[in-house]
Short mmCIF file of all heavy atoms in Angstrom, two decimals:
data_model
loop_
_atom_site.label_atom_id
_atom_site.label_comp_id
_atom_site.label_asym_id
_atom_site.label_seq_id
_atom_site.Cartn_x
_atom_site.Cartn_y
_atom_site.Cartn_z
N MET A 1 20.65 -42.54 -23.78
CA MET A 1 19.45 -42.17 -23.03
C MET A 1 18.76 -43.46 -22.60
O MET A 1 18.47 -44.33 -23.41
CB MET A 1 18.54 -41.32 -23.92
CG MET A 1 17.29 -40.89 -23.21
SD MET A 1 16.10 -39.96 -24.20
CE MET A 1 16.96 -38.46 -24.50
N ASP A 2 18.49 -43.56 -21.30
CA ASP A 2 17.82 -44.76 -20.82
C ASP A 2 16.30 -44.56 -20.85
O ASP A 2 15.80 -43.51 -21.25
CB ASP A 2 18.32 -45.13 -19.42
CG ASP A 2 18.03 -44.05 -18.38
OD1 ASP A 2 17.51 -43.00 -18.76
OD2 ASP A 2 18.33 -44.29 -17.20
N THR A 3 15.59 -45.57 -20.41
CA THR A 3 14.13 -45.53 -20.52
C THR A 3 13.49 -44.47 -19.63
O THR A 3 12.46 -43.90 -20.00
CB THR A 3 13.53 -46.90 -20.17
OG1 THR A 3 13.92 -47.25 -18.84
CG2 THR A 3 13.97 -47.95 -21.15
N ARG A 4 14.11 -44.17 -18.47
CA ARG A 4 13.55 -43.13 -17.59
C ARG A 4 13.55 -41.78 -18.29
O ARG A 4 12.56 -41.05 -18.27
CB ARG A 4 14.36 -43.02 -16.30
CG ARG A 4 14.24 -44.22 -15.39
CD ARG A 4 15.08 -44.05 -14.13
NE ARG A 4 16.48 -43.81 -14.49
CZ ARG A 4 17.25 -42.87 -13.94
NH1 ARG A 4 16.77 -42.07 -13.04
NH2 ARG A 4 18.50 -42.72 -14.31
N HIS A 5 14.68 -41.46 -18.91
CA HIS A 5 14.78 -40.17 -19.61
C HIS A 5 13.86 -40.14 -20.83
O HIS A 5 13.25 -39.12 -21.14
CB HIS A 5 16.23 -39.89 -20.01
CG HIS A 5 17.13 -39.63 -18.84
ND1 HIS A 5 17.11 -38.45 -18.16
CD2 HIS A 5 18.06 -40.40 -18.24
CE1 HIS A 5 17.99 -38.49 -17.18
NE2 HIS A 5 18.59 -39.67 -17.21
N ALA A 6 13.76 -41.27 -21.54
CA ALA A 6 12.90 -41.33 -22.72
C ALA A 6 11.43 -41.14 -22.34
O ALA A 6 10.69 -40.43 -23.03
CB ALA A 6 13.08 -42.67 -23.44
N ARG A 7 11.00 -41.73 -21.22
CA ARG A 7 9.62 -41.55 -20.77
C ARG A 7 9.34 -40.10 -20.39
O ARG A 7 8.27 -39.57 -20.68
CB ARG A 7 9.33 -42.45 -19.57
CG ARG A 7 9.10 -43.88 -19.92
CD ARG A 7 8.61 -44.66 -18.72
NE ARG A 7 8.70 -46.07 -18.98
CZ ARG A 7 9.19 -46.95 -18.14
NH1 ARG A 7 9.61 -46.57 -16.96
NH2 ARG A 7 9.24 -48.23 -18.45
N ALA A 8 10.32 -39.47 -19.75
CA ALA A 8 10.14 -38.08 -19.34
C ALA A 8 9.99 -37.18 -20.57
O ALA A 8 9.11 -36.32 -20.62
CB ALA A 8 11.31 -37.63 -18.48
N VAL A 9 10.84 -37.38 -21.56
CA VAL A 9 10.75 -36.58 -22.78
C VAL A 9 9.45 -36.86 -23.51
O VAL A 9 8.79 -35.94 -24.01
CB VAL A 9 11.98 -36.85 -23.68
CG1 VAL A 9 11.80 -36.22 -25.05
CG2 VAL A 9 13.24 -36.33 -23.02
N ALA A 10 9.04 -38.12 -23.54
CA ALA A 10 7.79 -38.48 -24.22
C ALA A 10 6.60 -37.82 -23.54
O ALA A 10 5.69 -37.32 -24.21
CB ALA A 10 7.62 -40.00 -24.24
N ASN A 11 6.58 -37.80 -22.21
CA ASN A 11 5.48 -37.14 -21.49
C ASN A 11 5.46 -35.64 -21.77
O ASN A 11 4.39 -35.05 -21.95
CB ASN A 11 5.60 -37.38 -19.99
CG ASN A 11 5.07 -38.72 -19.58
OD1 ASN A 11 4.15 -39.25 -20.19
ND2 ASN A 11 5.64 -39.29 -18.54
N GLU A 12 6.64 -35.04 -21.82
CA GLU A 12 6.70 -33.60 -22.09
C GLU A 12 6.20 -33.29 -23.50
O GLU A 12 5.41 -32.36 -23.70
CB GLU A 12 8.12 -33.09 -21.90
CG GLU A 12 8.22 -31.59 -22.01
CD GLU A 12 9.61 -31.07 -21.74
OE1 GLU A 12 10.50 -31.86 -21.39
OE2 GLU A 12 9.80 -29.85 -21.91
N VAL A 13 6.63 -34.07 -24.48
CA VAL A 13 6.20 -33.85 -25.86
C VAL A 13 4.70 -34.12 -26.01
O VAL A 13 3.98 -33.36 -26.66
CB VAL A 13 7.04 -34.72 -26.83
CG1 VAL A 13 6.46 -34.70 -28.23
CG2 VAL A 13 8.48 -34.25 -26.83
N ALA A 14 4.22 -35.20 -25.41
CA ALA A 14 2.80 -35.53 -25.50
C ALA A 14 1.95 -34.44 -24.84
O ALA A 14 0.88 -34.07 -25.35
CB ALA A 14 2.52 -36.88 -24.84
N GLY A 15 2.42 -33.91 -23.72
CA GLY A 15 1.69 -32.83 -23.06
C GLY A 15 1.63 -31.58 -23.92
O GLY A 15 0.59 -30.92 -24.00
N GLY A 16 2.75 -31.26 -24.56
CA GLY A 16 2.76 -30.09 -25.45
C GLY A 16 1.82 -30.28 -26.63
O GLY A 16 1.10 -29.35 -27.03
N LYS A 37 0.50 -32.63 -18.06
CA LYS A 37 1.35 -33.72 -18.55
C LYS A 37 2.73 -33.19 -18.94
O LYS A 37 3.75 -33.85 -18.70
CB LYS A 37 0.69 -34.40 -19.75
CG LYS A 37 1.30 -35.71 -20.12
CD LYS A 37 0.41 -36.45 -21.12
CE LYS A 37 0.83 -37.90 -21.18
NZ LYS A 37 -0.10 -38.69 -21.95
N ARG A 38 2.76 -31.99 -19.49
CA ARG A 38 4.04 -31.40 -19.87
C ARG A 38 4.88 -31.09 -18.62
O ARG A 38 6.08 -31.36 -18.58
CB ARG A 38 3.79 -30.13 -20.66
CG ARG A 38 5.02 -29.53 -21.23
CD ARG A 38 4.69 -28.40 -22.16
NE ARG A 38 5.90 -27.87 -22.74
CZ ARG A 38 5.98 -26.72 -23.33
NH1 ARG A 38 4.90 -25.99 -23.48
NH2 ARG A 38 7.12 -26.29 -23.82
N LEU A 39 4.24 -30.53 -17.59
CA LEU A 39 4.94 -30.26 -16.34
C LEU A 39 5.40 -31.55 -15.68
O LEU A 39 6.47 -31.60 -15.07
CB LEU A 39 4.07 -29.45 -15.40
CG LEU A 39 3.87 -27.99 -15.77
CD1 LEU A 39 2.86 -27.34 -14.83
CD2 LEU A 39 5.18 -27.25 -15.74
N TYR A 40 4.60 -32.59 -15.79
CA TYR A 40 4.97 -33.90 -15.26
C TYR A 40 6.23 -34.41 -15.95
O TYR A 40 7.15 -34.92 -15.30
CB TYR A 40 3.81 -34.88 -15.43
CG TYR A 40 4.12 -36.30 -15.01
CD1 TYR A 40 4.40 -36.61 -13.68
CD2 TYR A 40 4.13 -37.33 -15.94
CE1 TYR A 40 4.67 -37.91 -13.30
CE2 TYR A 40 4.40 -38.63 -15.57
CZ TYR A 40 4.67 -38.91 -14.25
OH TYR A 40 4.94 -40.20 -13.87
N GLY A 41 6.30 -34.26 -17.27
CA GLY A 41 7.49 -34.67 -18.01
C GLY A 41 8.71 -33.87 -17.60
O GLY A 41 9.81 -34.43 -17.42
N LYS A 42 8.55 -32.56 -17.41
CA LYS A 42 9.68 -31.74 -16.98
C LYS A 42 10.15 -32.12 -15.58
O LYS A 42 11.35 -32.16 -15.31
CB LYS A 42 9.28 -30.26 -17.01
CG LYS A 42 9.24 -29.67 -18.39
CD LYS A 42 8.95 -28.18 -18.34
CE LYS A 42 8.95 -27.60 -19.74
NZ LYS A 42 8.77 -26.15 -19.71
N SER A 43 9.20 -32.39 -14.68
CA SER A 43 9.59 -32.78 -13.33
C SER A 43 10.26 -34.15 -13.32
O SER A 43 11.19 -34.38 -12.55
CB SER A 43 8.38 -32.77 -12.39
OG SER A 43 7.44 -33.75 -12.77
N GLN A 44 9.82 -35.05 -14.20
CA GLN A 44 10.49 -36.34 -14.32
C GLN A 44 11.93 -36.15 -14.78
O GLN A 44 12.85 -36.81 -14.28
CB GLN A 44 9.77 -37.24 -15.33
CG GLN A 44 8.61 -38.01 -14.78
CD GLN A 44 8.02 -38.93 -15.85
OE1 GLN A 44 7.90 -38.55 -17.01
NE2 GLN A 44 7.65 -40.11 -15.44
N GLN A 45 12.14 -35.25 -15.74
CA GLN A 45 13.50 -34.99 -16.22
C GLN A 45 14.37 -34.43 -15.10
O GLN A 45 15.51 -34.85 -14.93
CB GLN A 45 13.47 -34.01 -17.40
CG GLN A 45 13.02 -34.63 -18.69
CD GLN A 45 13.08 -33.63 -19.83
OE1 GLN A 45 13.32 -32.44 -19.63
NE2 GLN A 45 12.85 -34.11 -21.03
N ALA A 46 13.83 -33.49 -14.33
CA ALA A 46 14.59 -32.91 -13.23
C ALA A 46 14.93 -33.97 -12.18
O ALA A 46 16.06 -34.02 -11.68
CB ALA A 46 13.81 -31.77 -12.59
N LEU A 47 13.98 -34.83 -11.86
CA LEU A 47 14.22 -35.90 -10.90
C LEU A 47 15.26 -36.88 -11.42
O LEU A 47 16.16 -37.30 -10.67
CB LEU A 47 12.92 -36.63 -10.59
CG LEU A 47 13.02 -37.78 -9.58
CD1 LEU A 47 13.39 -37.24 -8.22
CD2 LEU A 47 11.72 -38.53 -9.52
N ASN A 48 15.18 -37.23 -12.68
CA ASN A 48 16.17 -38.14 -13.27
C ASN A 48 17.57 -37.53 -13.26
O ASN A 48 18.55 -38.21 -12.98
CB ASN A 48 15.77 -38.52 -14.69
CG ASN A 48 14.55 -39.40 -14.73
OD1 ASN A 48 14.23 -40.09 -13.77
ND2 ASN A 48 13.83 -39.37 -15.84
N ASN A 49 17.66 -36.24 -13.57
CA ASN A 49 18.96 -35.57 -13.54
C ASN A 49 19.52 -35.53 -12.12
O ASN A 49 20.72 -35.74 -11.92
CB ASN A 49 18.84 -34.15 -14.11
CG ASN A 49 18.57 -34.15 -15.59
OD1 ASN A 49 18.83 -35.13 -16.29
ND2 ASN A 49 18.05 -33.04 -16.09
#
Side-chain angles (χ1 to χ4, degrees):
M1 181 183 292
D2 62 356
T3 58
R4 292 179 303 134
H5 291 285
R7 282 189 194 134
V9 170
N11 279 329
E12 186 176 355
V13 170
K37 194 168 196 171
R38 187 172 182 196
L39 287 174
Y40 175 65
K42 284 184 178 184
S43 65
Q44 275 183 320
Q45 284 183 352
L47 180 66
N48 291 336
N49 291 340

